Amino acid sequence: MNNSSFKTNENHNKSLWEEIENKWETLKQGGGAKKIEKLKSQNKLTVRERIDYLLDKDSPQIEIGAFAAYDMYNEHGGCPSAGVVVIIGYIEKRQCIVVANDPTVKAGAWFPMTCKKNIRAQEIAMKNRLPIIYLVDSAGVFLPLQDEVFPDKDHFGRIFRNNAMMSGEGIVQIAAIMGSCVAGGAYLPIMCDESIIIDKKGSVFLAGSYLVKAAIGEEIDNETLGGATTHCAISGVTDYKAKDDKDALDRIKKTMAKLGSFPKENFNRVTAKKPAQNIENLFGILPKERHTAYDSYELIKCLVDNSEWEEYKEDYGKTIITAYARIEGWAVGIVANQRKIVKNHKGEVQFGGVIYGEAADKATRFIANCNQRKIPLVFLQDVTGFMVGKKAEHSGIIKDGAKMVNAVSNSVVPKFTIVVGNSYGAGNYAMCGKAYDPNLIAAWPSAALAVMGGAQAAKVLLQIQKLEAKKKGTEMDENAEQKLQTEILKKYTAQTHPLYAASRLWVDAIINPVDTRKWISEGIHAANNAPITKKFNMGVLQV
C-alpha cells in the first residue's frame, strides 16, 4: 500500500508507538542508575533480571501495568511502574503470573497504585486459576500516603484477603523473600503455600529493630529478629533458606516443575496461521485524525488467521461488525465498531463508530451465541457512543443499549478488549470497558478514553462557564472564550491520552498493534486454565 494517506497514517501511528517505547525505556530503569548500582553492590539482581532468570527462555510473556503510576506522585519523586513488575509468562512450561517488587523504587514501598496493580495481578490469577509467584523486596507502606493505602476495601488489606481466597480455591502461591518484608507486608509471603527466604538478605517481621526498641525497649538486630535462620530454624515461619537470588529462583523452578495437572476448559484451537494481510498494515489503515472514517474490516484482515472470518448478520446493524474467526488458532467471536459511514436497509446514512439500536441488538444476540458455544470474545473498540436524538430515542435506543450492556455483563466466556481508537461514554461500557471485567484490556497508542470527544467536551464546559459568568452579571468576550476553550481542550486531551489511562490501570497495557494477536492468544491460554462453571443468563429484560 503506497498511497499518500496510508503513508501519512503509517508515519503518524509509528511515531506514536516510538514515543511510548522511548518512555518505556526510561521506566524500565526503575529508580535509576545509582539505585541499581547500590543493589548490585549488595550482590542482588535487579527486579527484571530476577524475572528473566525465573521465566523460561524464549517463551511468550506479556507485562501488566508497565505504565502504572506514570506521571503520578511527582511531589514524592515519582513511582515508576508503581514500584512493582507484573508479568504473565512461563516457568517450567507452566503459565503463571509473577509479581515482583522493585527495590530501586523507594525501597519497594507500597504507593496507592502499587496496591491497585497488585490487586489487578491477583484478579488475573484468580480469574484464570494461574499460579502466582511473589518476589518480595519491600520496605512496606509509603507512609506519607498511608491514608490512601491502608483502610479501604481495595487497599493493602485486600491483598491478604485475596491470598486467603486463592489458597482456599487451590490456586498455587509461592513467595521468595529477597529483601525486606515489613509490618503488614510480612503477611503476604507467609500467606502463600510456600515461602523461601534468602540468607542474610531477606527479613520478615511485624516491626523492625528500631520500632521494637521504641515500643518495648528491647535491643535486637534485624537478622536475629527476623532473618533466614530465625524463621527457618526457630519460628518455622518460612519453609526454605536460599543462599542468594538465583538459589531462591531455582527453588521456585523446581517447585513449578512438579506441579500436577488441573482441569482445562479446552477452548477450540487448531494450528495457527498468519494473517494473509501484513499485520504491519495496521499502522497505515488507522487514520491520523481520530474523527476520520475508515473501514474496520481492514483492521480485522490484519489480525485474524489467514484473514478469514464468518460474519454474523452482515447486512444488519452495520455499525458493529460481529464475526467468528481464529486468532493464533483459537476460535474467537469478534465484536468491532465499524468506523466507515454505512447505509441501513432504508438507505439512511449511519455514522461510523456510533452504536445504533439494530447494531446493539445484533451484538447482544452474537454475544449470547458465543456464550452458548464457549467461544471467547474479542472487542475491538473505536466507539464514539450510542446514537442520540428524537428518532433514536423513539426507537428505543436505551433499551437496545441496555440489552447489549446486560449481555456483556453476564457473559461467562473469556473477554478481551483492545482499545483501538475512541472509547467514549456508554460505548466504552457496551464494548466491554474495564468496568465489565475483561480478562485483559489493552490500548493501542492511538486510543482515547473519555466521556466524550475533546472538542465536544470543551464546547459543553465552555457553555457551563459562560452561564456561570452570566449569573454573576458578567459576559465573556470572544478572546476570553477562545482562551478558555483552548485551556479546557488542552487539559481534556491530556486526560484522554492512553498514558493517562494506563497510569491509572484503566487499561492493562499500551501495546504495539502488531502484538495484539499475542496478547489475545496468551489471554485465552490463561483462561483455558479456568473451566467455566456458570451459565450465561441475561435475567429480566425488556425485549
Side-chain angles (χ1 to χ4, degrees):
M1 295 186 181
N2 296 312
N3 64 67
S4 60
S5 62
F6 184 93
K7 285 294 181 185
T8 299
N9 295 340
E10 184 177 51
N11 291 337
H12 172 73
N13 287 310
K14 284 189 174 181
S15 70
L16 289 181
W17 174 245
E18 287 169 7
E19 180 187 343
I20 296 296
E21 273 195 310
N22 291 337
K23 292 181 186 301
W24 174 227
E25 287 303 316
T26 302
L27 279 180
K28 279 198 292 190
Q29 302 306 309
K34 288 185 178 179
K35 295 289 179 66
I36 291 173
E37 187 180 337
K38 181 180 178 182
L39 198 70
K40 293 291 189 181
S41 71
Q42 300 168 348
N43 294 318
K44 290 172 127 185
L45 299 174
T46 67
V47 64
R48 293 190 179 275
E49 287 173 340
R50 288 169 176 173
I51 293 172
D52 287 345
Y53 183 84
L54 182 61
L55 295 178
D56 296 346
K57 301 302 178 215
D58 301 320
S59 62
Q61 56 180 259
I62 57 178
E63 182 160 354
I64 304 297
F67 285 96
Y70 177 79
D71 205 26
M72 297 172 69
Y73 312 122
N74 293 330
E75 67 276 25
H76 299 290
C79 186
S81 290
V84 62
V85 179
V86 175
I87 304 280
I88 300 175
Y90 294 81
I91 302 173
E92 297 296 326
K93 299 182 180 179
R94 179 64 67 92
Q95 194 179 34
C96 58
I97 187 161
V98 179
V99 180
N101 297 116
D102 186 347
T104 70
V105 178
K106 304 293 185 184
W110 289 69
F111 281 67
M113 284 305 301
T114 315
C115 283
K116 189 171 183 178
K117 186 170 174 178
N118 273 264
I119 291 169
R120 176 59 179 151
Q122 290 181 321
E123 286 174 351
I124 293 170
M126 289 188 283
K127 195 178 192 77
N128 300 287
R129 299 193 64 81
L130 287 180
I132 185 165
I133 314 300
Y134 301 97
L135 307 182
V136 186
D137 196 341
S138 172
V141 169
F142 185 66
L143 290 178
L145 297 174
Q146 65 85 27
D147 62 319
E148 298 178 49
V149 176
F150 170 63
D152 208 349
K153 178 181 176 181
D154 290 324
H155 286 177
F156 204 25
R158 187 74 170 186
I159 293 166
F160 313 138
R161 175 264 190 192
N162 288 346
N163 287 140
M165 295 291 289
M166 282 189 280
S167 182
E169 293 176 16
I171 298 169
V172 174
Q173 300 175 88
I174 303 168
I177 301 161
M178 311 185 84
S180 298
C181 194
V182 184
Y187 285 103
L188 186 150
I190 309 310
M191 293 189 74
C192 293
D193 305 328
E194 289 188 346
S195 58
I196 304 151
I197 186 168
I198 299 176
D199 195 26
K200 304 296 188 294
K201 298 283 192 308
S203 57
V204 184
F205 32 65
L206 295 182
S209 55
Y210 293 122
L211 185 54
V212 167
K213 174 69 188 272
I216 63 174
E218 182 180 13
E219 298 226 14
I220 190 169
D221 63 273
N222 281 339
E223 184 64 25
T224 305
L225 183 66
T229 298
T230 293
H231 286 311
C232 285
I234 301 173
S235 72
V237 165
T238 53
D239 303 306
Y240 305 101
K241 183 194 289 187
K243 62 183 180 182
D244 56 25
D245 282 14
K246 289 186 176 180
D247 189 32
L249 298 171
D250 284 336
R251 169 68 69 175
I252 294 172
K253 291 182 183 183
K254 290 174 184 176
T255 301
M256 291 295 291
K258 295 179 178 66
L259 291 186
S261 60
F262 295 89
K264 305 285 185 186
E265 181 51 55
N266 293 318
F267 293 114
N268 186 287
R269 193 181 197 188
V270 299
T271 303
K273 295 179 181 178
K274 291 183 179 180
Q277 285 274 23
N278 184 353
I279 196 168
E280 292 276 348
N281 287 348
L282 291 169
F283 291 105
I285 294 166
L286 202 66
K288 178 181 178 180
E289 302 297 336
R290 295 306 313 125
H291 60 268
T292 303
Y294 66 93
D295 191 348
S296 300
Y297 286 108
E298 295 302 316
L299 293 184
I300 296 172
K301 286 179 186 177
C302 297
L303 294 173
V304 302
D305 288 14
N306 211 35
S307 301
E308 295 177 340
W309 63 86
E310 302 86 46
E311 189 162 358
Y312 174 79
K313 291 185 179 289
E314 179 180 358
D315 298 322
Y316 179 68
K318 293 180 181 180
T319 61
I320 287 183
I321 299 167
T322 50
Y324 301 104
R326 290 189 182 275
I327 292 178
E328 293 291 342
W330 297 104
V332 296
I334 293 175
V335 181
N337 301 111
Q338 171 58 291
R339 281 300 310 273
K340 186 175 72 172
I341 296 172
V342 298
K343 289 184 179 180
N344 65 12
H345 67 286
K346 296 178 181 179
E348 297 168 332
V349 171
Q350 294 185 331
F351 300 106
V354 178
I355 302 176
Y356 289 75
E358 60 268 30
D361 175 69
K362 176 174 77 170
T364 300
R365 292 169 183 267
F366 181 73
I367 291 165
N369 283 350
C370 287
N371 273 272
Q372 187 181 52
R373 301 171 191 182
K374 292 191 176 181
I375 298 175
L377 286 159
V378 174
F379 294 84
L380 301 178
Q381 280 195 10
D382 196 345
V383 58
T384 53
F386 284 87
M387 190 57 190
V388 297
K390 176 182 174 181
K391 185 176 180 181
E393 297 294 356
H394 286 197
S395 67
I397 186 66
I398 295 175
K399 180 176 65 176
D400 291 327
K403 285 192 292 186
M404 185 176 174
V405 168
N406 192 303
V408 172
S409 302
N410 285 296
S411 183
V412 297
V413 295
K415 306 188 294 274
F416 303 93
T417 302
I418 306 296
V419 186
V420 170
N422 302 322
S423 181
Y424 295 157
N428 170 282
Y429 302 158
M431 292 294 293
C432 198
K434 184 67 181 291
Y436 292 82
D437 290 331
N439 290 54
L440 294 173
I441 177 169
W444 289 358
S446 48
L449 291 84
V451 170
M452 63 181 72
Q456 298 95 316
K459 289 177 183 177
V460 172
L461 291 169
L462 178 62
Q463 289 301 316
I464 293 171
Q465 296 274 14
K466 286 171 68 176
L467 286 172
E468 288 295 322
K470 195 172 183 178
K471 286 179 183 177
K472 295 175 182 176
T474 60
E475 294 284 345
M476 284 188 183
D477 60 32
E478 190 173 331
N479 288 336
E481 281 187 27
Q482 186 60 48
K483 182 180 178 182
L484 181 58
Q485 186 165 356
T486 300
E487 289 174 356
I488 292 170
L489 185 58
K490 182 180 178 181
K491 180 180 179 181
Y492 199 87
T493 300
Q495 291 179 348
T496 62
H497 195 283
L499 278 171
Y500 194 89
S503 70
R504 289 151 180 81
L505 284 177
W506 299 346
V507 295
D508 291 318
I510 304 172
I511 64 171
N512 187 333
V514 302
D515 288 333
T516 302
R517 282 168 53 84
K518 180 178 80 169
W519 262 75
I520 293 168
S521 178
E522 288 306 300
I524 299 175
H525 194 286
N528 209 34
N529 293 293
I532 296 171
T533 56
K534 293 182 179 179
K535 289 187 68 175
F536 175 70
N537 188 338
M538 289 178 59
V540 178
L541 272 178
Q542 295 182 36
V543 294

